[in-house]
Amino acid sequence: MSSIFADAIKNLDLAAKYADVDEEELERLRHTKATLEVGIPLRRDNGSLEIFKGYRVQHDSTRGPTKGGIRYHPQVCVDEVKALAFWMTFKCAVVGLPYGGAKGGIIVDPKSLSRMELERLSRGFMGQMADFIGPDTDIPAPDVYTNARIMGWMMDEYSKIKRQYTPAVITGKPLPLGGSAGREDATGRGVYYSIKELTAKKAWDPKTLTVALQGFGNVAQHAAALLQRDGYRIVALSDSQGGIYRPEGLDIPSIVKAKNETRRVKAIYCEGSVCEVVDAKTISNEELLELDVDILIPAALENVITADNAPRIRAKTIAEGANGPISFDADQILHERGTLVIPDILANAGGVTVSYFEWVQNKAGYYWQAEEVHQRLQTIIAREFDHVYEIMQHHQCSMRTAAYVHGINRLSSAYRAQGTHRYYASLDE
Ligand code: NAD
Protein backbone atom coordinates (compact mmCIF):
# COMPACT_ATOMS: atom_id res chain seq x y z
CA MET A 1 0.00 0.00 0.00
CA SER A 2 1.33 3.47 -0.81
CA SER A 3 2.28 5.68 2.12
CA ILE A 4 1.81 9.46 1.96
CA PHE A 5 4.51 9.90 4.62
CA ALA A 6 7.03 7.74 2.71
CA ASP A 7 6.18 9.74 -0.42
CA ALA A 8 6.61 13.07 1.42
CA ILE A 9 10.09 12.31 2.77
CA LYS A 10 11.38 11.39 -0.72
CA ASN A 11 11.71 15.13 -1.25
CA LEU A 12 14.51 15.18 1.34
CA ASP A 13 16.81 13.05 -0.83
CA LEU A 14 15.99 15.07 -3.90
CA ALA A 15 16.90 18.34 -2.16
CA ALA A 16 19.85 17.06 -0.10
CA LYS A 17 22.34 17.30 -2.95
CA TYR A 18 21.87 21.08 -3.12
CA ALA A 19 21.64 21.67 0.65
CA ASP A 20 24.19 22.12 3.39
CA VAL A 21 23.19 18.99 5.30
CA ASP A 22 24.69 15.81 6.75
CA GLU A 23 23.18 12.33 6.57
CA GLU A 24 22.42 12.27 10.32
CA GLU A 25 20.41 15.49 10.02
CA LEU A 26 18.41 14.02 7.14
CA GLU A 27 17.86 10.86 9.18
CA ARG A 28 16.34 12.91 12.00
CA LEU A 29 13.94 14.48 9.54
CA ARG A 30 12.83 11.08 8.23
CA HIS A 31 11.23 10.25 11.60
CA THR A 32 8.42 11.76 13.64
CA LYS A 33 9.12 12.67 17.26
CA ALA A 34 5.94 11.49 18.96
CA THR A 35 2.46 10.19 18.17
CA LEU A 36 -0.60 10.26 20.40
CA GLU A 37 -3.55 8.03 19.53
CA VAL A 38 -6.77 8.46 21.46
CA GLY A 39 -10.28 7.04 21.58
CA ILE A 40 -12.77 9.83 22.20
CA PRO A 41 -16.09 8.72 23.70
CA LEU A 42 -18.98 10.77 22.35
CA ARG A 43 -22.44 10.66 23.89
CA ARG A 44 -24.73 11.10 20.87
CA ASP A 45 -27.88 13.22 21.11
CA ASN A 46 -29.99 10.03 21.09
CA GLY A 47 -28.24 8.80 24.26
CA SER A 48 -25.99 6.20 22.60
CA LEU A 49 -22.20 6.16 22.99
CA GLU A 50 -19.72 6.10 20.11
CA ILE A 51 -15.92 6.07 20.23
CA PHE A 52 -14.00 8.14 17.66
CA LYS A 53 -10.31 7.67 16.97
CA GLY A 54 -8.04 10.74 17.01
CA TYR A 55 -4.33 11.41 16.49
CA ARG A 56 -1.78 14.10 17.24
CA VAL A 57 1.66 13.72 15.67
CA GLN A 58 4.68 15.91 16.44
CA HIS A 59 7.38 15.71 13.78
CA ASP A 60 10.32 17.88 14.88
CA SER A 61 10.70 20.52 17.61
CA THR A 62 14.31 21.64 17.13
CA ARG A 63 13.35 25.12 15.92
CA GLY A 64 10.58 25.68 18.47
CA PRO A 65 7.28 24.29 19.75
CA THR A 66 5.46 22.21 17.16
CA LYS A 67 2.58 23.74 15.22
CA GLY A 68 -0.11 22.34 12.94
CA GLY A 69 -3.81 22.02 12.31
CA ILE A 70 -6.50 19.57 13.34
CA ARG A 71 -8.55 17.89 10.63
CA TYR A 72 -11.97 16.22 10.93
CA HIS A 73 -12.45 13.83 8.02
CA PRO A 74 -13.58 10.22 7.52
CA GLN A 75 -10.32 9.43 5.69
CA VAL A 76 -7.92 10.62 8.41
CA CYS A 77 -5.24 8.01 9.13
CA VAL A 78 -2.01 8.13 11.10
CA ASP A 79 0.16 7.93 7.97
CA GLU A 80 -1.56 11.01 6.55
CA VAL A 81 -1.22 12.90 9.85
CA LYS A 82 2.52 12.08 9.93
CA ALA A 83 2.95 13.46 6.40
CA LEU A 84 1.03 16.60 7.32
CA ALA A 85 3.22 17.05 10.43
CA PHE A 86 6.37 16.64 8.31
CA TRP A 87 5.14 19.30 5.86
CA MET A 88 4.48 21.64 8.80
CA THR A 89 8.10 21.33 9.96
CA PHE A 90 9.19 22.39 6.50
CA LYS A 91 6.58 25.07 6.06
CA CYS A 92 7.68 26.76 9.30
CA ALA A 93 11.35 26.46 8.33
CA VAL A 94 10.76 27.81 4.80
CA VAL A 95 9.06 30.97 6.05
CA GLY A 96 11.40 31.27 9.04
CA LEU A 97 8.90 30.85 11.90
CA PRO A 98 10.32 29.66 15.26
CA TYR A 99 8.27 26.43 15.18
CA GLY A 100 8.53 22.76 14.39
CA GLY A 101 5.77 20.72 12.77
CA ALA A 102 2.76 18.78 14.06
CA LYS A 103 -0.73 17.80 12.91
CA GLY A 104 -3.83 16.15 14.32
CA GLY A 105 -7.08 14.68 13.20
CA ILE A 106 -10.19 12.74 14.10
CA ILE A 107 -11.68 10.03 11.89
CA VAL A 108 -15.17 11.49 11.60
CA ASP A 109 -17.58 12.95 9.11
CA PRO A 110 -18.44 16.18 10.95
CA LYS A 111 -21.45 16.70 8.69
CA SER A 112 -23.04 13.68 10.41
CA LEU A 113 -22.89 15.35 13.85
CA SER A 114 -25.25 17.86 15.43
CA ARG A 115 -23.73 21.13 16.67
CA MET A 116 -23.76 19.91 20.27
CA GLU A 117 -22.18 16.58 19.29
CA LEU A 118 -19.46 18.47 17.43
CA GLU A 119 -18.76 20.57 20.53
CA ARG A 120 -18.64 17.53 22.83
CA LEU A 121 -16.31 15.69 20.43
CA SER A 122 -13.99 18.72 20.13
CA ARG A 123 -13.84 19.23 23.88
CA GLY A 124 -13.33 15.48 24.35
CA PHE A 125 -10.37 15.49 21.94
CA MET A 126 -8.80 18.43 23.77
CA GLY A 127 -9.33 16.61 27.07
CA GLN A 128 -7.31 13.66 25.75
CA MET A 129 -4.59 15.87 24.24
CA ALA A 130 -4.18 18.36 27.09
CA ASP A 131 -0.98 16.84 28.49
CA PHE A 132 0.55 16.29 25.05
CA ILE A 133 0.16 19.85 23.74
CA GLY A 134 0.56 23.34 25.25
CA PRO A 135 1.39 26.96 24.36
CA ASP A 136 5.13 26.23 24.56
CA THR A 137 5.10 22.61 23.37
CA ASP A 138 2.58 22.05 20.59
CA ILE A 139 -0.01 24.52 19.28
CA PRO A 140 -2.93 23.29 17.10
CA ALA A 141 -4.96 25.30 14.56
CA PRO A 142 -7.84 24.69 12.11
CA ASP A 143 -7.58 22.48 9.03
CA VAL A 144 -10.08 20.66 6.80
CA TYR A 145 -13.61 20.77 8.29
CA THR A 146 -12.54 22.51 11.51
CA ASN A 147 -13.00 26.23 12.09
CA ALA A 148 -12.63 29.16 14.48
CA ARG A 149 -15.57 28.10 16.65
CA ILE A 150 -14.05 24.65 17.19
CA MET A 151 -10.72 26.29 18.10
CA GLY A 152 -12.59 28.46 20.61
CA TRP A 153 -14.20 25.38 22.26
CA MET A 154 -10.83 23.68 22.44
CA MET A 155 -9.10 26.72 23.95
CA ASP A 156 -11.87 27.00 26.56
CA GLU A 157 -11.56 23.30 27.42
CA TYR A 158 -7.77 23.52 27.78
CA SER A 159 -8.11 26.65 29.96
CA LYS A 160 -10.59 24.82 32.21
CA ILE A 161 -8.32 21.78 32.55
CA LYS A 162 -5.28 23.92 33.38
CA ARG A 163 -7.36 26.40 35.46
CA GLN A 164 -5.71 29.23 33.58
CA TYR A 165 -6.94 31.27 30.61
CA THR A 166 -4.54 30.10 27.91
CA PRO A 167 -5.35 31.59 24.50
CA ALA A 168 -1.86 30.79 23.12
CA VAL A 169 -2.56 27.03 23.26
CA ILE A 170 -4.38 27.13 19.92
CA THR A 171 -4.63 29.52 16.98
CA GLY A 172 -7.31 30.33 14.46
CA LYS A 173 -9.68 31.27 17.31
CA PRO A 174 -12.66 33.64 16.97
CA LEU A 175 -11.66 37.30 17.40
CA PRO A 176 -13.45 37.81 20.76
CA LEU A 177 -11.61 34.76 22.15
CA GLY A 178 -8.10 35.98 21.37
CA GLY A 179 -8.05 35.40 17.62
CA SER A 180 -6.02 37.60 15.31
CA ALA A 181 -7.36 40.03 12.76
CA GLY A 182 -6.53 38.64 9.34
CA ARG A 183 -6.32 34.95 10.37
CA GLU A 184 -9.53 33.86 8.62
CA ASP A 185 -8.27 34.69 5.12
CA ALA A 186 -4.54 34.24 5.82
CA THR A 187 -3.94 31.00 3.92
CA GLY A 188 -5.83 32.14 0.82
CA ARG A 189 -4.08 35.50 1.08
CA GLY A 190 -0.69 33.75 1.22
CA VAL A 191 -1.58 31.79 -1.94
CA TYR A 192 -2.56 35.10 -3.55
CA TYR A 193 0.67 36.85 -2.50
CA SER A 194 2.79 34.02 -3.88
CA ILE A 195 0.93 34.12 -7.22
CA LYS A 196 1.41 37.90 -7.27
CA GLU A 197 5.16 37.44 -6.72
CA LEU A 198 5.36 35.02 -9.63
CA THR A 199 3.24 37.30 -11.82
CA ALA A 200 5.64 40.18 -11.11
CA LYS A 201 8.75 38.08 -11.78
CA LYS A 202 7.35 36.87 -15.10
CA ALA A 203 5.98 40.34 -15.96
CA TRP A 204 2.55 38.80 -16.67
CA ASP A 205 -0.62 40.87 -16.89
CA PRO A 206 -3.20 39.41 -14.44
CA LYS A 207 -6.02 40.33 -16.84
CA THR A 208 -4.71 37.81 -19.37
CA LEU A 209 -4.54 34.93 -16.85
CA THR A 210 -7.18 32.27 -16.21
CA VAL A 211 -7.44 30.42 -12.90
CA ALA A 212 -9.18 27.19 -11.80
CA LEU A 213 -9.55 26.17 -8.17
CA GLN A 214 -10.32 22.74 -6.78
CA GLY A 215 -12.19 23.01 -3.48
CA PHE A 216 -14.18 26.01 -2.32
CA GLY A 217 -13.51 26.16 1.40
CA ASN A 218 -11.53 28.59 3.50
CA VAL A 219 -8.37 28.59 1.37
CA ALA A 220 -9.96 28.60 -2.09
CA GLN A 221 -12.68 31.19 -1.37
CA HIS A 222 -10.26 33.81 -0.10
CA ALA A 223 -7.58 33.14 -2.72
CA ALA A 224 -10.21 33.35 -5.49
CA ALA A 225 -11.75 36.58 -4.19
CA LEU A 226 -8.38 38.34 -3.86
CA LEU A 227 -7.20 37.16 -7.30
CA GLN A 228 -10.43 38.26 -8.95
CA ARG A 229 -10.11 41.69 -7.34
CA ASP A 230 -6.72 42.02 -9.06
CA GLY A 231 -8.15 41.13 -12.47
CA TYR A 232 -7.31 37.40 -12.75
CA ARG A 233 -10.18 35.53 -14.44
CA ILE A 234 -11.53 32.70 -12.27
CA VAL A 235 -13.01 30.24 -14.77
CA ALA A 236 -13.63 27.12 -12.66
CA LEU A 237 -14.10 25.96 -9.11
CA SER A 238 -15.52 22.95 -7.28
CA ASP A 239 -16.40 21.40 -3.96
CA SER A 240 -16.80 17.78 -2.88
CA GLN A 241 -20.02 17.52 -4.94
CA GLY A 242 -18.50 18.69 -8.26
CA GLY A 243 -17.55 21.83 -10.11
CA ILE A 244 -18.55 24.62 -12.47
CA TYR A 245 -16.69 25.99 -15.50
CA ARG A 246 -17.33 29.28 -17.29
CA PRO A 247 -14.65 30.52 -19.72
CA GLU A 248 -15.95 34.13 -19.43
CA GLY A 249 -15.28 34.06 -15.70
CA LEU A 250 -17.20 33.51 -12.45
CA ASP A 251 -18.16 36.11 -9.85
CA ILE A 252 -16.57 34.94 -6.61
CA PRO A 253 -18.44 37.06 -4.00
CA SER A 254 -21.79 35.86 -5.46
CA ILE A 255 -20.70 32.22 -5.38
CA VAL A 256 -19.37 32.52 -1.81
CA LYS A 257 -22.78 33.88 -0.83
CA ALA A 258 -24.56 30.93 -2.51
CA LYS A 259 -22.16 28.42 -0.95
CA ASN A 260 -22.75 29.86 2.52
CA GLU A 261 -26.52 29.76 2.05
CA THR A 262 -26.96 26.44 0.25
CA ARG A 263 -23.65 24.62 0.96
CA ARG A 264 -23.19 24.17 -2.80
CA VAL A 265 -21.23 25.97 -5.48
CA LYS A 266 -23.59 27.52 -8.04
CA ALA A 267 -22.84 29.70 -11.04
CA ILE A 268 -24.69 32.86 -10.09
CA TYR A 269 -24.18 36.59 -10.33
CA CYS A 270 -25.62 38.92 -7.70
CA GLU A 271 -26.09 42.67 -7.68
CA GLY A 272 -27.10 43.70 -4.18
CA SER A 273 -29.56 41.08 -3.02
CA VAL A 274 -30.73 40.21 -6.55
CA CYS A 275 -29.06 37.08 -7.91
CA GLU A 276 -29.41 35.41 -11.27
CA VAL A 277 -28.11 32.09 -12.48
CA VAL A 278 -25.48 32.43 -15.24
CA ASP A 279 -24.58 29.95 -17.95
CA ALA A 280 -21.87 27.55 -16.83
CA LYS A 281 -20.83 23.99 -17.54
CA THR A 282 -21.02 21.40 -14.77
CA ILE A 283 -17.74 19.52 -14.50
CA SER A 284 -16.29 16.83 -12.28
CA ASN A 285 -13.35 17.42 -9.95
CA GLU A 286 -11.19 15.31 -12.29
CA GLU A 287 -12.13 17.41 -15.34
CA LEU A 288 -11.41 20.61 -13.44
CA LEU A 289 -7.83 19.55 -12.77
CA GLU A 290 -7.26 18.93 -16.48
CA LEU A 291 -8.59 22.27 -17.77
CA ASP A 292 -6.41 24.36 -20.06
CA VAL A 293 -5.84 27.29 -17.68
CA ASP A 294 -2.83 29.43 -16.80
CA ILE A 295 -3.00 28.80 -13.04
CA LEU A 296 -4.44 25.79 -11.23
CA ILE A 297 -4.97 25.97 -7.47
CA PRO A 298 -5.73 22.60 -5.87
CA ALA A 299 -7.22 23.63 -2.51
CA ALA A 300 -9.05 20.55 -1.24
CA LEU A 301 -7.20 17.39 -0.26
CA GLU A 302 -3.87 15.65 -0.88
CA ASN A 303 -2.92 13.31 -3.73
CA VAL A 304 -5.40 14.59 -6.31
CA ILE A 305 -2.71 14.79 -9.01
CA THR A 306 -0.97 11.44 -9.37
CA ALA A 307 1.11 9.70 -12.04
CA ASP A 308 -2.22 8.68 -13.65
CA ASN A 309 -3.56 12.14 -14.44
CA ALA A 310 -0.31 14.20 -14.38
CA PRO A 311 0.30 13.72 -18.13
CA ARG A 312 -3.13 15.26 -18.78
CA ILE A 313 -2.63 18.38 -16.63
CA ARG A 314 -2.56 21.39 -18.94
CA ALA A 315 -2.14 24.27 -16.45
CA LYS A 316 1.22 26.02 -16.89
CA THR A 317 1.46 26.99 -13.23
CA ILE A 318 0.12 25.22 -10.15
CA ALA A 319 -0.07 26.94 -6.75
CA GLU A 320 -0.68 24.35 -4.04
CA GLY A 321 -3.37 25.71 -1.71
CA ALA A 322 -3.88 22.23 -0.25
CA ASN A 323 -1.16 20.27 1.48
CA GLY A 324 0.35 17.55 -0.70
CA PRO A 325 -2.12 17.65 -3.62
CA ILE A 326 0.57 16.34 -6.02
CA SER A 327 2.13 12.90 -5.44
CA PHE A 328 5.91 12.53 -5.66
CA ASP A 329 5.78 10.70 -9.01
CA ALA A 330 3.33 13.20 -10.48
CA ASP A 331 5.63 16.01 -9.40
CA GLN A 332 8.52 14.56 -11.42
CA ILE A 333 6.27 14.25 -14.49
CA LEU A 334 5.07 17.85 -14.16
CA HIS A 335 8.61 19.16 -13.70
CA GLU A 336 9.81 17.34 -16.83
CA ARG A 337 6.91 18.81 -18.77
CA GLY A 338 7.84 22.33 -17.65
CA THR A 339 4.93 22.99 -15.29
CA LEU A 340 5.94 25.43 -12.56
CA VAL A 341 4.62 24.32 -9.17
CA ILE A 342 4.63 26.78 -6.25
CA PRO A 343 4.86 24.16 -3.51
CA ASP A 344 2.52 23.88 -0.55
CA ILE A 345 5.29 24.53 1.98
CA LEU A 346 5.57 28.04 0.54
CA ALA A 347 2.27 28.77 -1.22
CA ASN A 348 -0.03 27.93 1.69
CA ALA A 349 2.27 29.09 4.51
CA GLY A 350 0.15 32.22 5.05
CA GLY A 351 -2.09 30.39 7.54
CA VAL A 352 0.66 29.29 9.87
CA THR A 353 2.37 32.67 9.54
CA VAL A 354 -0.68 34.54 10.80
CA SER A 355 -1.18 31.78 13.41
CA TYR A 356 2.29 32.70 14.60
CA PHE A 357 1.22 36.36 14.74
CA GLU A 358 -1.85 35.29 16.76
CA TRP A 359 0.34 33.36 19.22
CA VAL A 360 2.70 36.34 19.59
CA GLN A 361 -0.28 38.65 20.25
CA ASN A 362 -1.75 36.19 22.80
CA LYS A 363 1.56 36.03 24.64
CA ALA A 364 1.98 39.81 24.57
CA GLY A 365 -1.68 40.52 25.38
CA TYR A 366 -1.56 43.23 22.71
CA TYR A 367 -3.50 43.06 19.45
CA TRP A 368 -2.72 44.35 15.96
CA GLN A 369 -4.95 45.86 13.26
CA ALA A 370 -5.76 43.82 10.13
CA GLU A 371 -3.64 46.14 7.97
CA GLU A 372 -0.55 45.40 10.05
CA VAL A 373 -1.19 41.65 9.83
CA HIS A 374 -1.58 41.79 6.03
CA GLN A 375 1.55 43.86 5.63
CA ARG A 376 3.71 41.63 7.82
CA LEU A 377 2.37 38.55 6.01
CA GLN A 378 3.10 39.98 2.59
CA THR A 379 6.64 40.93 3.65
CA ILE A 380 7.36 37.35 4.81
CA ILE A 381 5.81 35.58 1.81
CA ALA A 382 7.51 37.93 -0.67
CA ARG A 383 10.91 37.60 1.04
CA GLU A 384 10.83 33.81 1.26
CA PHE A 385 9.37 33.45 -2.24
CA ASP A 386 12.37 35.41 -3.47
CA HIS A 387 14.86 33.15 -1.62
CA VAL A 388 13.23 30.00 -2.98
CA TYR A 389 13.03 31.40 -6.52
CA GLU A 390 16.71 32.27 -6.43
CA ILE A 391 17.67 28.76 -5.24
CA MET A 392 15.52 27.30 -8.03
CA GLN A 393 17.24 29.41 -10.68
CA HIS A 394 20.68 28.76 -9.25
CA HIS A 395 20.34 24.96 -9.23
CA GLN A 396 17.94 24.71 -12.16
CA CYS A 397 15.69 22.51 -10.01
CA SER A 398 11.95 22.53 -9.33
CA MET A 399 10.56 25.17 -7.01
CA ARG A 400 9.57 22.40 -4.58
CA THR A 401 13.14 21.11 -4.39
CA ALA A 402 14.33 24.69 -3.90
CA ALA A 403 11.88 25.19 -1.03
CA TYR A 404 13.12 21.96 0.61
CA VAL A 405 16.73 23.14 0.19
CA HIS A 406 15.81 26.40 1.92
CA GLY A 407 14.01 24.56 4.74
CA ILE A 408 16.75 21.94 5.17
CA ASN A 409 19.39 24.66 5.47
CA ARG A 410 17.46 26.34 8.30
CA LEU A 411 16.81 23.03 10.07
CA SER A 412 20.37 21.75 9.72
CA SER A 413 21.80 24.96 11.15
CA ALA A 414 19.55 24.42 14.22
CA TYR A 415 20.74 20.79 14.55
CA ARG A 416 24.36 21.94 14.24
CA ALA A 417 23.90 24.53 16.97
CA GLN A 418 23.01 21.60 19.25
CA GLY A 419 26.00 19.55 18.12
CA THR A 420 26.08 16.84 15.47
CA HIS A 421 28.55 14.09 14.62
CA ARG A 422 30.71 16.67 12.86
CA TYR A 423 31.17 18.53 16.14
CA TYR A 424 31.64 15.51 18.40
CA ALA A 425 34.15 13.97 16.00
CA SER A 426 35.91 17.38 15.90
CA LEU A 427 35.35 17.84 12.19
CA ASP A 428 33.97 21.30 12.93
CA GLU A 429 35.03 24.27 15.00
P1 NAD B 1 -12.23 23.59 4.23
O1 NAD B 1 -12.80 22.52 5.07
O2 NAD B 1 -12.59 25.01 4.51
O3 NAD B 1 -12.54 23.32 2.69
C1 NAD B 1 -12.26 22.12 2.06
C2 NAD B 1 -12.86 22.17 0.67
O4 NAD B 1 -12.51 20.99 -0.03
C3 NAD B 1 -14.39 22.24 0.66
O5 NAD B 1 -14.80 23.13 -0.34
C4 NAD B 1 -14.81 20.82 0.30
O6 NAD B 1 -16.05 20.79 -0.35
C5 NAD B 1 -13.67 20.45 -0.63
N1 NAD B 1 -13.54 18.99 -0.76
C6 NAD B 1 -13.57 18.04 0.19
N2 NAD B 1 -13.43 16.82 -0.34
C7 NAD B 1 -13.28 17.03 -1.68
C8 NAD B 1 -13.10 16.18 -2.79
N3 NAD B 1 -13.04 14.84 -2.62
N4 NAD B 1 -12.98 16.75 -4.01
C9 NAD B 1 -13.04 18.07 -4.17
N5 NAD B 1 -13.23 18.93 -3.16
C10 NAD B 1 -13.34 18.42 -1.94
O7 NAD B 1 -10.65 23.37 4.29
P2 NAD B 1 -9.48 24.42 4.04
O8 NAD B 1 -9.09 24.97 5.35
O9 NAD B 1 -9.86 25.32 2.91
O10 NAD B 1 -8.31 23.43 3.59
C11 NAD B 1 -8.14 23.01 2.24
C12 NAD B 1 -6.72 22.52 2.06
O11 NAD B 1 -5.81 23.56 2.42
C13 NAD B 1 -6.30 21.33 2.92
O12 NAD B 1 -5.38 20.54 2.21
C14 NAD B 1 -5.61 21.97 4.10
O13 NAD B 1 -4.69 21.09 4.72
C15 NAD B 1 -4.91 23.11 3.40
N6 NAD B 1 -4.51 24.19 4.28
C16 NAD B 1 -5.42 24.87 5.04
C17 NAD B 1 -5.00 25.89 5.85
C18 NAD B 1 -5.95 26.73 6.65
O14 NAD B 1 -5.49 27.68 7.30
N7 NAD B 1 -7.24 26.50 6.62
C19 NAD B 1 -3.63 26.21 5.93
C20 NAD B 1 -2.73 25.51 5.14
C21 NAD B 1 -3.19 24.50 4.32
Side-chain angles (χ1 to χ4, degrees):
M1 218 179 81
S2 73
S3 152
I4 304 181
F5 181 64
D7 217 38
I9 62 175
K10 284 183 192 162
N11 284 297
L12 289 175
D13 295 324
L14 217 54
K17 61 175 181 255
Y18 306 120
D20 181 17
V21 66
D22 291 339
E23 177 50 33
E24 77 170 55
E25 292 154 12
L26 289 173
E27 186 57 11
R28 281 176 74 160
L29 289 165
R30 289 189 191 107
H31 299 271
T32 50
K33 181 184 163 209
T35 298
L36 176 76
E37 179 183 321
V38 297
I40 314 152
L42 173 71
R43 182 69 61 194
R44 302 296 300 250
D45 291 344
N46 66 10
S48 65
L49 186 84
E50 214 172 309
I51 312 288
F52 289 86
K53 198 173 260 188
Y55 303 99
R56 183 77 189 166
V57 174
Q58 296 164 357
H59 174 256
D60 185 274
S61 57
T62 314
R63 299 185 66 260
T66 51
K67 184 94 191 72
I70 292 176
R71 172 176 296 196
Y72 289 177
H73 198 275
Q75 257 107 48
V76 163
C77 66
V78 71
D79 179 63
E80 178 196 62
V81 183
K82 278 180 165 185
L84 288 160
F86 168 83
W87 287 321
M88 284 308 298
T89 297
F90 272 88
K91 204 177 292 183
C92 295
V94 166
V95 289
L97 307 179
Y99 288 141
K103 205 79 179 192
I106 303 180
I107 306 171
V108 62
D109 175 7
K111 292 176 193 162
S112 70
L113 302 179
S114 72
R115 286 180 176 181
M116 282 191 286
E117 287 170 340
L118 190 63
E119 176 173 0
R120 287 198 290 275
L121 184 71
S122 304
R123 287 183 181 275
F125 190 30
M126 179 49 96
Q128 309 265 31
M129 279 192 299
D131 289 330
F132 192 67
I133 65 161
D136 295 309
T137 48
D138 180 9
I139 307 129
D143 191 69
V144 175
Y145 295 152
T146 55
N147 55 24
R149 188 182 297 277
I150 294 174
M151 299 303 111
W153 289 330
M154 288 189 166
M155 186 275 278
D156 181 56
E157 191 65 22
Y158 184 88
S159 298
K160 278 182 182 154
I161 292 166
K162 301 291 173 183
R163 293 194 173 274
Q164 201 158 48
Y165 188 72
T166 318
V169 70
I170 204 159
T171 58
K173 301 179 293 292
L175 272 178
L177 297 177
S180 173
R183 174 63 185 89
E184 184 64 22
D185 71 353
T187 307
R189 187 172 280 276
V191 172
Y192 158 73
Y193 287 149
S194 53
I195 291 173
K196 267 181 69 141
E197 286 303 310
L198 184 69
T199 305
K201 285 205 185 297
K202 301 272 191 190
W204 289 335
D205 174 5
K207 292 191 181 62
T208 64
L209 300 174
T210 53
V211 182
L213 299 104
Q214 187 196 33
F216 203 57
N218 173 290
V219 178
Q221 288 185 16
H222 292 294
L226 288 162
L227 287 166
Q228 185 179 33
R229 211 186 55 185
D230 268 14
Y232 296 79
R233 186 150 38 103
I234 315 294
V235 295
L237 44 87
S238 67
D239 65 9
S240 57
Q241 331 251 336
I244 46 176
Y245 173 53
R246 185 169 192 261
E248 304 79 31
L250 294 158
D251 184 58
I252 302 307
S254 306
I255 299 169
V256 169
K257 186 170 173 275
K259 170 87 179 163
N260 289 343
E261 283 165 9
T262 64
R263 291 183 152 203
R264 293 203 151 211
V265 293
K266 269 198 246 162
I268 61 164
Y269 178 75
C270 305
E271 260 195 67
S273 58
V274 184
C275 299
E276 60 174 290
V277 175
V278 295
D279 243 5
K281 200 175 152 207
T282 305
I283 53 169
S284 68
N285 265 292
E286 292 71 31
E287 288 168 325
L288 181 141
L289 294 171
E290 295 170 19
L291 287 174
D292 188 6
V293 289
D294 296 298
I295 302 170
L296 173 67
I297 307 178
L301 296 172
E302 55 272 1
N303 261 339
V304 292
I305 300 177
T306 62
D308 287 343
N309 60 352
R312 295 193 300 275
I313 302 293
R314 285 181 287 172
K316 291 148 208 87
T317 299
I318 302 179
E320 292 184 320
N323 289 307
I326 302 177
S327 75
F328 184 81
D329 292 342
D331 211 29
Q332 313 317 307
I333 296 171
L334 292 172
H335 181 54
E336 274 160 29
R337 296 179 64 217
T339 313
L340 184 99
V341 178
I342 312 176
D344 45 8
I345 55 174
L346 174 64
N348 73 31
V352 71
T353 303
V354 177
S355 272
Y356 166 62
F357 297 160
E358 181 175 332
W359 181 76
V360 166
Q361 293 170 79
N362 291 153
K363 284 189 161 262
Y366 177 77
Y367 289 84
W368 312 343
Q369 299 296 314
E371 249 335 283
E372 185 172 357
V373 171
H374 295 164
Q375 245 168 37
R376 285 178 184 264
L377 173 62
Q378 185 162 18
T379 302
I380 290 179
I381 299 290
R383 184 185 66 210
E384 303 303 334
F385 187 99
D386 233 45
H387 283 312
V388 172
Y389 203 83
E390 235 180 84
I391 297 171
M392 172 183 81
Q393 287 187 316
H394 181 72
H395 295 297
Q396 292 294 303
C397 60
S398 72
M399 203 165 175
R400 186 185 316 281
T401 298
Y404 274 94
V405 171
H406 192 38
I408 288 176
N409 287 342
R410 280 199 171 125
L411 281 151
S412 75
S413 59
Y415 290 146
R416 282 176 201 182
Q418 288 184 335
T420 61
H421 178 250
R422 247 172 196 284
Y423 167 75
Y424 293 109
S426 301
L427 300 173
D428 247 357
E429 282 299 295

